[in-house]
Amino acid sequence: MSKQHKQKNLTEEFIDVDDEIQTNTQQTGYAWEEEYKRSWDVLQEDEDGSLKRTVENLQQRKRKRLFRDTATIRRGIIRHMFLIIDLSEAMMEKDLRPSRLDLTLSYAEQFILEYFDQNPISQLAIIVTKGGYAEKISDLTGNPMDNIRALKNKKNTDTDGEPSLQNSLEMARSTLIHVPSHGSREILIIMGSLTTCDPGDIYDTIDNLVNENIRVSVVGLAAEVQICKLMCKKTKGTYGVVLNEAHFKDLLFEIIPPPPVSNTQNKAELVIMGFPSSVSDSSPSLCACHSKPTIGGYICARCHSKICDLPTDCPVCELTLVSSPHLARSYHHLFPINNFVEVPWNNNSVSPTHCFSCQIPFPSFLGVRGGAVPIETSGRYKCNRCQQHFCIDCDVFVHEVIHNCPGCLAAIH
């Protein structure tokens, strides 16, 4: 009887181990799910079995971010933004590959780099929320690497409970209320949960955000939430729900250009800035920002302290330190380049055969009939100011990177 009892316990033990392995597999997902991609969402045939419509859609998607308002309006080029990331249990869903959390952290790093590239004299901080509380993992800084290092430390962090929208907003608001009036105050929330755990009335928090001119934008990963929609509407922010991975990135990058500023919100005033000179010492000396020995660096124009990188605020005298290229990159937001117009096939005045910028030949109408490109698009775009023609790749590069038309610059010189 004792042997049978031992065999019975052994059998029950093996069954429990199998159940535990199966439970862990259901929670973490199978290995093949990590490499799973919906390829049919990219390539779709039309009723004639042709991929012509797919190529046309890809080209239109490539240029759709270029069609924005190019009117000369007042914008706050000195921005102060808090990035709030949801780390609740809802972020472990795999409807976005490989998971909501992994994709969010990856896109957040790309967003930070592009944000500081287009807004070099701005600042950004990061807050994460889970389990009903909020945690600030980086303070407002003009160095993108400080924020990226803070994000990488959170990649192996476990998710927990529900996010707290009110705690996150109050933490960001307590810092933004001390920002000078010449800088814009913004909050960007990446939220995957449909619920929030708040200690008080969140409508009072929204009213405080409106009174203090703090703009809140939300990118939802699951579905539309009414409180987020109301908050964005009252604070004049944007709210969007992602459809797929590409749409997620588009919604994030739409927030990179600085928002317009009304005359009643901010009054024009002078901002004191310093342009420090670079130094390269023969022997290392301590910097004022990290207290680490460095050979190269910059000397503050007011207190002559040594700092590592630009742009930043001097840790001693709190003077804003920038360089002339930083101001030049921020200046293009105030006077954006006009959108190029597509040149149709039936335009008889089409004379250039090569792109003005890269000198790559344009597709010919005869080559179109062979199936090289769709017949609906000519693949060339014209600047109405200098009348030069550009290919689609140069069109995107001009509007997203250099922000100056090569044809207009060549006409000036």
Side-chain angles (χ1 to χ4, degrees):
M1 294 294 294
S2 60
K3 292 183 179 180
Q4 293 178 356
H5 182 68
K6 289 181 179 180
Q7 290 178 355
K8 183 177 179 182
N9 291 339
L10 248 148
T11 306
E12 292 177 353
E13 182 179 356
F14 281 120
I15 292 175
D16 293 339
V17 170
D18 292 340
D19 291 342
E20 184 178 356
I21 294 175
Q22 185 176 1
T23 303
N24 293 335
T25 304
Q26 292 175 354
Q27 292 178 354
T28 59
Y30 296 97
W32 58 268
E33 290 182 344
E34 302 296 330
E35 302 296 330
Y36 172 74
K37 295 182 179 179
R38 299 183 292 269
S39 58
W40 53 84
D41 289 345
V42 180
L43 297 178
Q44 294 182 353
E45 298 180 354
D46 55 12
E47 59 275 5
D48 298 330
S50 174
L51 298 177
K52 180 178 65 175
R53 187 62 57 85
T54 299
V55 178
E56 182 181 3
N57 292 336
L58 291 177
Q59 287 185 340
Q60 294 298 329
R61 187 185 304 172
K62 195 173 186 179
R63 297 190 73 246
K64 69 179 181 179
R65 284 190 297 171
L66 303 180
F67 292 99
R68 53 180 178 266
D69 187 14
T70 59
T72 302
I73 58 177
R74 185 180 178 186
R75 297 179 182 271
I77 61 176
I78 303 179
R79 308 171 65 184
H80 300 83
M81 176 181 290
F82 266 90
L83 176 61
I84 299 177
I85 300 179
D86 181 7
L87 290 184
S88 63
E89 293 181 352
M91 295 297 289
M92 295 307 297
E93 295 289 337
K94 295 185 179 297
D95 50 356
L96 299 175
R97 299 297 173 185
S99 68
R100 290 182 183 177
L101 179 60
D102 294 335
L103 188 65
T104 298
L105 295 178
S106 176
Y107 281 170
E109 291 185 15
Q110 300 178 30
F111 171 81
I112 292 173
L113 292 175
E114 188 68 17
Y115 172 83
F116 282 105
D117 182 71
Q118 300 294 329
N119 307 271
I121 59 176
S122 301
Q123 294 185 352
L124 186 140
I126 302 177
I127 293 176
V128 296
T129 172
K130 65 176 181 178
Y133 65 92
E135 177 189 359
K136 184 192 297 184
I137 63 175
S138 68
D139 295 320
L140 281 174
T141 177
N143 189 355
M145 298 312 300
D146 293 341
N147 294 306
I148 291 179
R149 278 193 294 267
L151 276 182
K152 289 183 177 180
N153 293 334
K154 286 295 179 181
K155 277 197 172 181
N156 298 325
T157 302
D158 296 332
T159 57
D160 182 32
E162 297 179 342
S164 178
L165 195 60
Q166 186 181 20
N167 287 335
S168 304
L169 293 172
E170 289 291 346
M171 181 176 291
R173 188 182 70 88
S174 62
T175 303
L176 291 176
I177 57 177
H178 302 291
V179 169
S181 59
H182 61 261
S184 64
R185 305 169 181 177
E186 303 174 51
I187 298 176
L188 172 60
I189 305 175
I190 303 178
M191 190 170 180
S193 176
L194 296 176
T195 58
T196 175
C197 181
D198 299 329
D201 191 356
I202 193 172
Y203 291 97
D204 295 337
T205 302
I206 296 177
D207 294 337
N208 294 331
L209 295 174
V210 174
N211 296 332
E212 292 157 3
N213 295 323
I214 299 178
R215 183 189 303 265
V216 182
S217 300
V218 179
V219 176
L221 306 183
E224 185 177 280
V225 181
Q226 177 63 22
I227 188 63
C228 295
K229 184 177 180 180
L230 176 65
M231 177 175 56
C232 295
K233 182 179 179 180
K234 283 190 173 183
T235 59
K236 300 180 180 179
T238 59
Y239 181 45
V241 180
V242 303
L243 303 177
N244 47 44
E245 291 84 351
H247 189 231
F248 185 11
K249 188 174 182 179
D250 291 340
L251 290 178
L252 276 181
F253 277 58
E254 286 177 358
I255 307 175
I256 290 179
V261 177
S262 61
N263 294 328
T264 57
Q265 179 176 343
N266 284 336
K267 296 182 180 179
E269 60 181 80
L270 297 177
V271 180
I272 301 177
M273 290 186 178
F275 295 86
S277 57
S278 61
V279 294
S280 180
D281 301 329
S282 58
S283 58
S285 59
L286 293 178
C287 66
C289 47
H290 302 97
S291 298
K292 294 182 179 180
T294 58
I295 296 178
Y298 301 89
I299 301 299
C300 176
R302 175 185 290 175
C303 64
H304 303 287
S305 301
K306 185 179 180 180
I307 56 175
C308 296
D309 299 316
L310 294 178
T312 185
D313 292 336
C314 179
V316 179
C317 62
E318 298 183 353
L319 177 66
T320 302
L321 303 176
V322 297
S323 63
S324 55
H326 294 151
L327 289 179
R329 291 212 307 269
S330 302
Y331 188 73
H332 71 80
H333 291 298
L334 303 180
F335 301 96
I337 182 175
N338 293 329
N339 295 323
F340 292 170
V341 296
E342 184 177 356
V343 180
W345 285 113
N346 56 4
N347 193 341
N348 297 326
S349 62
V350 174
S351 55
T353 59
H354 293 70
C355 174
F356 179 82
S357 181
C358 64
Q359 294 299 309
I360 292 179
F362 290 117
S364 62
F365 185 75
L366 295 178
V368 172
R369 296 187 180 275
V373 294
I375 194 171
E376 286 81 1
T377 176
S378 62
R380 64 171 71 205
Y381 305 91
K382 181 182 67 173
C383 174
N384 286 330
R385 186 175 180 182
C386 63
Q387 302 299 317
Q388 298 293 345
H389 292 195
F390 300 89
C391 63
I392 184 173
D393 293 323
C394 291
D395 181 13
V396 175
F397 184 76
V398 164
H399 286 85
E400 292 190 348
V401 180
I402 62 177
H403 304 286
N404 286 288
C405 176
C408 298
L409 293 178
I412 295 175
H413 298 289

